[in-house]
Amino acid sequence: AAAAAAAARRSAASSSSSGPQRHQMATSRRGHAMARPASLRGAPDATLNDKSSLTSDDVSSWEEIERQVTTMCAVYAGDSSVNPRIMALADLTVEKTYEALSDITVVDVYQAAYEGDLQECTTIIDVHLRMVAECIIKDDTALVRSVYDKFRRMPPMLQKSSLIATAAVAEAGLLYIKEDYDLVEALLREQVEEDGEGPGRDEDMYLEWAKSKVIIDMMERVIAVMHDEKGEVDGELLSSGQPSIAYADVIIDVAPVQPPPGAM
């Protein structure tokens, strides 16, 4: 059992360790095209700002999340049932954001929706990763709807296109991060089920599995809310009446006209 847990950790670690190299490949491959602030494709004059996109200030900072975790530990002192959630929160850090940026597919999804540098891609993924962390703390996804309410306050012609572009990039990033946890959970599941909850259970292996399950389940819940917010039903994006661009399985609505002066 211990060997299975160690193998799962090594598999996840080997996948993550290649992140910096892939990130360098992705950024160098596109460096010549990433020299200006981001804007939505179809509205290149509408440079993104704090009113037309999600920003780092729309959710708690990593430092604030760390304080919430400290409070959570104090409140649930002695309650071992919350240990997988606390371990999951210890795993989710800004480093995971940079791991996601190492994936060429994530960058490609971003470039299908945006023109400009990768700063907006970094912000989108980091904001959503912090949302996942806060949702784990609260064991609730209401925060996602609260944050996404910002899109409803944007100029009408940007509401749908900005929301769908943001959700597409965020989902690509979260799914990339989730892959490692899917691997660990799958490798350990059979042994955990076989061990059951008896005194002979390998506690380290169980916690490794349970931590991964917490992250997987919450990411899936957050992504489901994102799908609902952007109007996706049964895997199909409801038409907004706007033209769209497609990348792989991602469809991104594009505003047909430029925002009027002063709208941004």
Side-chain angles (χ1 to χ4, degrees), residues 9-31:
R9 285 193 290 271
R10 283 197 301 273
S11 297
S14 64
S15 175
S16 298
S17 65
S18 61
Q21 182 178 5
R22 289 199 302 272
H23 179 49
Q24 184 178 13
M25 289 170 57
T27 52
S28 62
R29 173 181 155 187
R30 298 165 174 79

Side-chain angles (χ1 to χ4, degrees), residues 63-253:
E63 292 76 14
E64 290 167 339
I65 289 171
E66 187 175 345
R67 287 193 289 272
Q68 291 180 47
V69 173
T70 300
T71 301
M72 182 180 175
C73 289
V75 170
Y76 292 100
D79 184 354
S80 62
S81 68
V82 302
N83 286 347
R85 287 165 62 196
I86 294 191
M87 289 179 64
L89 291 163
D91 249 34
L92 297 180
T93 67
V94 69
E95 294 305 317
K96 294 295 181 184
T97 297
Y98 296 119
E99 286 180 21
L101 287 169
S102 75
D103 183 50
I104 288 175
T105 300
V106 172
V107 177
D108 282 342
V109 170
Y110 173 73
Q111 289 194 308
Y114 295 91
E115 296 179 286
D117 63 32
L118 284 172
Q119 184 56 49
E120 183 67 16
C121 185
T122 305
T123 299
I124 290 171
I125 295 172
D126 198 61
V127 163
H128 284 77
L129 195 58
R130 282 183 272 154
M131 271 199 282
V132 169
E134 282 203 83
C135 288
I136 289 174
I137 292 171
K138 298 171 182 176
D139 196 22
D140 186 89
T141 57
L143 175 65
V144 184
R145 295 196 187 278
S146 176
V147 172
Y148 268 57
D149 190 58
K150 181 175 186 178
F151 291 105
R152 297 183 179 88
R153 302 191 296 273
M154 293 180 186
M157 65 188 65
L158 282 179
Q159 287 179 8
K160 192 71 171 179
S161 54
S162 184
L163 188 157
I164 292 173
T166 298
V169 174
E171 182 172 357
L174 291 181
L175 289 177
Y176 177 79
I177 294 167
K178 180 173 167 285
E179 283 179 0
D180 282 348
Y181 297 103
D182 285 332
L183 174 62
V184 171
E185 193 277 333
L187 284 171
L188 299 182
R189 184 192 313 131
E190 184 176 351
Q191 187 63 50
V192 167
E193 291 174 351
E194 183 179 317
D195 287 351
E197 297 186 7
R201 181 174 76 178
D202 184 322
E203 199 63 26
D204 287 343
M205 183 182 64
Y206 169 77
L207 287 174
E208 192 72 23
W209 171 82
K211 172 195 74 176
S212 298
K213 195 77 168 63
V214 166
I215 293 172
I216 291 167
D217 290 349
M218 188 53 73
M219 284 190 174
E220 289 178 350
R221 289 171 63 186
V222 167
I223 289 171
V225 175
M226 289 159 50
H227 285 184
D228 186 57
E229 286 290 313
K230 69 181 181 179
E232 187 172 309
V233 178
D234 296 329
E236 295 291 332
L237 190 64
L238 299 183
S239 173
S240 64
Q242 296 179 342
S244 64
I245 58 175
Y247 174 78
D249 295 326
V250 178
I251 300 176
I252 301 168
D253 283 354

